[in-house]
Amino acid sequence: MRTYHCFWLLFWAGQPHQSFLTPLSERTSGFPEKEKVLVLSGNSRQDLHRSKRSWMWNQFFLLEEYTGTDYQYVGKLHSDQDKGDGSLKYILSGDGAGDLFIINENTGDIQATKRLDREEKPVYILRAQAINRRTGRPVEPESEFIIKIHDINDNEPMFTKDVYNASIPEMSDVGTFVVQVTATDADDPTYGNSAKVVYSILQGQPYFSVESETGIIKTALLNMDRENREQYQVVIQAKDMGGQMGGLSGTTTVNITLTDVNDNPPRFPQSTYQFRTPESTPLDSPVGRIKANDADVDENAEIEYSITEGDGYDMFGITTDKDTQEGIITVKKALDFENKNLYILKVEATNTHVDPRFLYLGPFKDSATVRIQVEDVDEPPMFSRPAYIMEVKEDVPVNSVIGTVTAQDPDAAKNPVKYSVDRHTDMDRVFNINSGNGSIFTSKPLDRETLLWHNITVIAAEINNPKQSSRVPVFIKVLDVNDNAPEFAMFYETFVCENAKAEQLIQTLSAVDKDDSYNGHQFSFSLAPEAASSSNFTLQDNRDNTAGIFTRKTRYNRHETSTYFLPVVISDNDYPIQSSTETVTIRVCACDHRGKMLSCNAEALVHPTGLSTGALIAILLCIIILLVTVVLFAALRRQRKKEPLIISKEDIRDNIVSYNDEGGGEEDTQAFDIGTLRNPEAIDDNKLRRDIVPETLFMPRRTATARDNTDVRDFINQRLKENDTDPTAPPYDSLATYAYEGNGSVAESLSSLESVTTDGDQDYDYLSDWGPRFKKLADMYGSMDSDKDS
């Protein structure tokens, strides 16, 4: 009779607080009032009725955020084989076993050692087993159970942003969408109302409202005017538990800005403006500014001013300052106090961007009257010339006078005049002027190569009334003196061949000078004194502002000296004479017999000369034309018809014509070898075709050697049979030979070498029966028979 043992795992949900004994809400409804037993047999999960050899326990929940001082009781593990003598040991494994969950190995009591947070981990999977303490063997199979963490409302709703920013146009209708706020709750959304969020507005009424379920903020007041209030701060609350009392809440701030629309016309703050201007006011100079106020901003506040009427309509103009939106009144024509001293204008201000929705508010323009009084003033000093041109050498000492300007007061008072230089035109203060007599002198050294012309402005003002002033431009040209030494026109780096001959020209030099020369530059070239006697090269002055470098000895060795540095002195013929020393780099290179450079010892030489773009294009076109010519020539050769076998009747010869020969051509030296037929033992089986690429490489086959004096016919048949069965043979016939004609042929030999010796034995009448292709041949031989008979 088979004996059954029973292993029981009993769990009692620990009740650390009295409130857990009586269910108060849906949250605690998962705790059973009576012990519920779930029996597992082996790996099966079928519900049984207290079957032996099975695990049994109650499904349960653990409350999160336990705040008791003792460990939280989970359940008890027990086996019916436990006699209470301590022979069994209970083991717990799985999620958090030994750390978060511990078991009393003697009694089987399971406890939680730490506070649990459902938001961190909602489910723990554990495995329980009872083993024999003495043998260490399990007395029951290991079984698995689940601990679910029971959620409580311990997380308040959190908005996705701490601060929201939104904007809407002013004067918007009620219910206009502003922005949508969103809050999330980390509690379990499937259990109770812990994660059910409801929105409400705490601050911002009666201007705005919020939808409780969606969090959409809308306008709640009609005709909100930006000019009255532009910024609004709205506080939105998100509360869980469906907004019921006791729920947790979170808040966020929404900053709402009203954007501008053009709902305000421009208005002048006064109906009349008065300005005074002297009769000497220059053209296009401003007389005054007027401004119409517009409560709008940006483009809605842009104003355009215009003069609509008045006796000064053609004397004055008005423009709009885009930065300040002011109307600038300017002088269009010269004013004359004696002719007219008062002008009356009517100015109109109009919005440039009008919103049709607000035309009912009235016309978006306004007008004002402007009175301009012309004053009689003294005339400013007048210069003797409209402009002055002066010249000065660049080497003049500082404080040298270069010219004088003159101005006088045209009024009867003849007030004295003082002169000054407009420093905006002479920022470096190169020139100065005597304030009493108007003489201009230098205050700093001049350099023609730096700046050829100096354009300054001289101001003449009355001493008694400095505001009365006039200006005149002064153009000062700096004349050149010889103060710059000549130098090479470019950097010279050349080469000399190792096999060069003496007195051979290797480089031509030229020079430039920054100074200006009226008669043209004249440069002289010479070697530096330290290189004149010991140099391996000589220098010849060509007397045309160029010089040539020549070799002094016959041969050079680049292995001994790869580079020479030749100092050259360049002098000009101006006064004072200026000279400079420049260096030419000469590399020793290997050249061919024509003097073309092959290689140098150190680095590749970069030639100073190069091909122009036109030369490169011409070379490229020549290459293209040559390639096209070659292609056309090859195509014509392929399409050219074969010449007739017999050009004339007198040209009588034997011809052997071969058709459909697909060999590799004249360059195919390995397609076949006729010598192989004569010497079979000399075959090289390792040779591969060079005119094709074999798809698969096979090991070469060694054919049997033909015996001596083998008939050629037998040899060809033997080779034909071998190639028919050879997988490495080419897929087409590449060998055609008529070297063997056979014995006993019905047609016999076609060669004229074996023909009968007398022409009389030949009968060519059958050629006429072979068709039109042999007509010419039949006529030719037929005519020969006729000549012979005659």
Side-chain angles (χ1 to χ4, degrees):
M1 182 177 180
R2 182 176 300 176
T3 303
Y4 294 87
H5 301 282
C6 180
F7 188 34
W8 298 56
L9 177 62
L10 304 177
F11 291 91
W12 292 272
Q15 308 292 339
H17 301 284
Q18 186 177 1
S19 60
F20 297 154
L21 296 176
T22 302
L24 297 179
S25 64
E26 184 182 357
R27 181 181 298 279
T28 58
S29 63
F31 288 89
E33 296 179 358
K34 295 183 179 180
E35 184 183 56
K36 179 182 178 182
V37 179
L38 178 63
V39 181
L40 298 180
S41 177
N43 292 329
S44 173
R45 291 186 178 270
Q46 299 175 354
D47 290 339
L48 303 177
H49 300 283
R50 291 189 176 275
S51 174
K52 291 185 177 182
R53 300 178 61 83
S54 304
W55 290 96
M56 294 181 297
W57 65 86
N58 288 337
Q59 185 176 2
F60 66 96
F61 296 87
L62 278 185
L63 195 64
E64 69 169 335
E65 305 295 342
Y66 172 68
T67 58
T69 58
D70 298 330
Y71 290 164
Q72 189 176 6
Y73 186 78
V74 177
K76 184 179 182 64
L77 177 67
H78 183 72
S79 174
D80 59 352
Q81 296 190 29
D82 189 354
K83 306 301 182 183
D85 56 355
S87 61
L88 294 183
K89 179 181 179 180
Y90 297 95
I91 298 175
L92 187 66
S93 62
D95 295 341
D99 179 22
L100 187 59
F101 300 102
I102 60 175
I103 187 171
N104 189 320
E105 61 181 17
N106 296 319
T107 63
D109 293 328
I110 302 175
Q111 292 177 313
T113 63
K114 299 180 181 178
R115 294 174 61 182
L116 303 177
D117 190 357
R118 187 202 67 83
E119 284 71 33
E120 294 181 359
K121 189 174 179 64
V123 176
Y124 294 87
I125 301 175
L126 297 172
R127 295 179 296 278
Q129 191 175 35
I131 63 173
N132 190 299
R133 189 182 297 273
R134 182 176 59 83
T135 62
R137 295 183 178 179
V139 298
E140 294 290 346
E142 185 183 61
S143 187
E144 181 179 276
F145 61 94
I146 297 175
I147 299 176
K148 295 183 179 180
I149 308 303
H150 194 67
D151 181 51
I152 63 174
N153 188 18
D154 59 339
N155 291 278
E156 70 276 5
M158 299 292 294
F159 284 93
T160 56
K161 295 181 181 179
D162 295 332
V163 177
Y164 289 81
N165 294 302
S167 62
I168 57 169
E170 63 174 331
M171 310 298 289
S172 296
D173 296 332
V174 175
T176 302
F177 173 85
V178 179
V179 70
Q180 183 176 13
V181 296
T182 304
T184 57
D185 196 310
D187 292 324
D188 189 357
T190 62
Y191 183 78
N193 294 325
S194 298
K196 185 177 180 180
V197 178
V198 174
Y199 301 91
S200 61
I201 184 168
L202 301 182
Q203 176 183 325
Q205 294 176 331
Y207 306 101
F208 302 93
S209 62
V210 63
E211 293 184 357
S212 60
E213 295 182 359
T214 62
I216 295 177
I217 301 175
K218 298 181 179 180
T219 58
L221 190 64
L222 185 64
N223 294 334
M224 287 189 292
D225 193 0
R226 185 199 64 84
E227 286 73 33
N228 294 331
R229 182 178 178 182
E230 183 177 3
Q231 298 287 339
Y232 294 85
Q233 190 175 75
V234 179
V235 178
I236 302 297
Q237 181 190 65
K239 190 173 183 180
D240 59 12
M241 298 295 295
Q244 299 177 4
M245 183 177 298
L248 302 178
S249 64
T251 60
T252 186
T253 301
V254 182
N255 295 323
I256 302 175
T257 303
L258 296 183
T259 59
D260 185 60
V261 297
N262 192 5
D263 59 340
N264 293 279
R267 290 289 182 264
F268 283 105
Q270 59 193 66
S271 59
T272 303
Y273 293 86
Q274 291 188 4
F275 297 100
R276 304 177 72 89
T277 183
E279 62 176 342
S280 60
T281 303
L283 298 182
D284 296 327
S285 297
V287 174
R289 290 172 176 254
I290 60 175
K291 183 177 182 179
N293 298 326
D294 193 331
D296 298 321
V297 294
D298 299 328
E299 68 175 14
N300 296 320
E302 292 182 2
I303 301 174
E304 183 177 356
Y305 297 90
S306 61
I307 299 176
T308 58
E309 60 185 46
D311 53 3
Y313 181 83
D314 58 340
M315 298 295 294
F316 300 91
I318 188 168
T319 58
T320 302
D321 189 337
K322 298 299 182 182
D323 296 329
T324 62
Q325 296 300 315
E326 293 178 319
I328 305 174
I329 301 175
T330 58
V331 178
K332 292 173 59 177
K333 293 183 179 181
L335 302 176
D336 189 1
F337 174 82
E338 288 73 19
N339 185 24
K340 187 175 180 62
N341 58 10
L342 179 62
Y343 296 90
I344 301 177
L345 309 175
K346 185 177 181 180
V347 178
E348 187 176 80
T350 307
N351 274 141
T352 57
H353 301 280
V354 179
D355 194 337
R357 296 178 299 172
F358 305 103
L359 289 177
Y360 69 91
L361 298 177
F364 282 76
K365 60 183 178 180
D366 195 13
S367 60
T369 301
V370 178
R371 298 170 59 89
I372 301 176
Q373 182 72 43
V374 179
E375 297 178 342
D376 186 17
V377 295
D378 294 336
E379 297 292 335
M382 296 182 61
F383 285 94
S384 59
R385 300 179 187 176
Y388 292 83
I389 299 178
M390 302 178 184
E391 294 182 349
V392 59
K393 290 187 177 182
E394 63 178 331
D395 61 345
V396 296
V398 177
N399 296 325
S400 298
V401 177
I402 61 175
T404 302
V405 296
T406 303
Q408 293 182 353
D409 185 7
D411 297 329
K414 298 296 180 181
N415 293 322
V417 177
K418 66 176 181 179
Y419 303 91
S420 62
V421 176
D422 187 357
R423 292 306 173 188
H424 293 90
T425 60
D426 186 21
M427 301 293 292
D428 297 330
R429 295 181 177 269
V430 179
F431 301 96
N432 211 334
I433 190 170
N434 189 310
S435 62
N437 58 20
S439 59
I440 300 174
F441 56 91
T442 61
S443 57
K444 288 185 179 180
L446 303 176
D447 188 4
R448 187 199 68 87
E449 287 72 30
T450 302
L451 186 61
L452 177 62
W453 285 91
H454 293 267
N455 302 327
I456 65 174
T457 300
V458 175
I459 303 173
E462 294 181 2
I463 296 178
N464 298 333
N465 187 8
K467 293 183 179 180
Q468 296 299 322
S469 63
S470 58
R471 298 166 177 261
V472 67
V474 179
F475 306 102
I476 303 173
K477 182 179 181 181
V478 181
L479 302 179
D480 182 59
V481 295
N482 190 28
D483 60 345
N484 291 279
E487 57 187 9
F488 278 157
M490 60 185 299
F491 174 74
Y492 287 103
E493 184 178 9
T494 185
F495 72 96
V496 62
C497 296
E498 288 183 310
N499 56 356
K501 298 180 181 179
E503 300 301 322
Q504 179 179 340
L505 176 64
I506 62 173
Q507 182 65 51
T508 300
L509 308 177
S510 61
V512 294
D513 195 337
K514 294 181 181 178
D515 293 324
D516 191 12
S517 178
Y518 298 99
N519 299 323
H521 291 290
Q522 291 293 329
F523 303 123
S524 60
F525 300 83
S526 63
L527 292 178
E530 64 272 13
S533 58
S534 61
S535 176
N536 293 293
F537 304 90
T538 60
L539 182 69
Q540 178 180 338
D541 192 345
N542 298 327
R543 304 299 180 182
D544 59 352
N545 292 337
T546 63
I549 300 177
F550 294 84
T551 57
R552 174 171 287 182
K553 60 182 182 179
T554 302
R555 296 185 60 85
Y556 295 84
N557 192 338
R558 61 188 172 122
H559 299 289
E560 294 179 358
T561 304
S562 61
T563 305
Y564 292 93
F565 299 96
L566 188 65
V568 178
V569 179
I570 312 172
S571 303
D572 56 22
N573 64 341
D574 293 333
Y575 180 83
I577 296 177
Q578 301 288 342
S579 64
S580 65
T581 302
E582 304 285 337
T583 302
V584 179
T585 303
I586 304 174
R587 300 184 183 275
V588 181
C589 302
C591 305
D592 56 13
H593 65 281
R594 294 187 300 271
K596 183 178 180 181
M597 181 183 67
L598 299 177
S599 65
C600 294
N601 188 30
E603 57 185 358
L605 181 64
V606 179
H607 290 282
T609 59
L611 293 178
S612 64
T613 304
L616 292 176
I617 294 175
I619 294 174
L620 183 61
L621 290 176
C622 292
I623 294 174
I624 294 174
I625 293 173
L626 182 61
L627 292 176
V628 171
T629 304
V630 172
V631 171
L632 292 176
F633 181 76
L636 291 175
R637 288 197 60 185
R638 291 184 178 180
Q639 297 179 0
R640 186 177 58 186
K641 296 181 178 180
K642 294 184 178 181
E643 297 181 356
L645 296 177
I646 300 176
I647 300 176
S648 63
K649 297 182 179 181
E650 289 77 20
D651 188 4
I652 302 173
R653 65 187 73 179
D654 294 331
N655 293 278
I656 299 177
V657 183
S658 176
Y659 297 93
N660 299 327
D661 185 4
E662 298 179 359
E666 297 177 357
E667 296 182 357
D668 189 358
T669 58
Q670 292 190 2
F672 60 87
D673 188 1
I674 196 63
T676 303
L677 297 175
R678 305 306 179 190
N679 186 13
E681 297 180 356
I683 299 177
D684 186 3
D685 292 332
N686 294 327
K687 290 184 178 181
L688 298 176
R689 287 291 303 276
R690 294 190 301 178
D691 57 336
I692 60 173
V693 178
E695 296 181 357
T696 306
L697 295 178
F698 295 91
M699 294 300 294
R701 298 178 56 197
R702 174 63 63 180
T703 57
T705 305
R707 62 180 181 272
D708 296 339
N709 300 325
T710 302
D711 188 75
V712 177
R713 179 183 60 183
D714 298 335
F715 174 76
I716 292 177
N717 291 332
Q718 178 184 354
R719 286 289 187 265
L720 180 60
K721 184 182 299 183
E722 293 174 355
N723 282 277
D724 288 341
T725 60
D726 186 5
T728 63
Y732 54 84
D733 296 335
S734 60
L735 178 62
T737 179
Y738 302 96
Y740 185 79
E741 299 179 0
N743 294 325
S745 173
V746 177
E748 296 183 350
S749 177
L750 298 176
S751 175
S752 61
L753 299 177
E754 296 183 1
S755 301
V756 294
T757 56
T758 60
D759 292 338
D761 298 333
Q762 298 293 331
D763 186 5
Y764 300 103
D765 294 337
Y766 61 89
L767 294 176
S768 301
D769 302 331
W770 285 9
R773 293 186 179 182
F774 296 92
K775 183 177 183 303
K776 188 172 183 179
L777 190 62
D779 294 341
M780 180 180 64
Y781 281 94
S783 61
M784 292 177 60
D785 293 341
S786 301
D787 295 339
K788 190 181 298 181
D789 294 339
S790 61

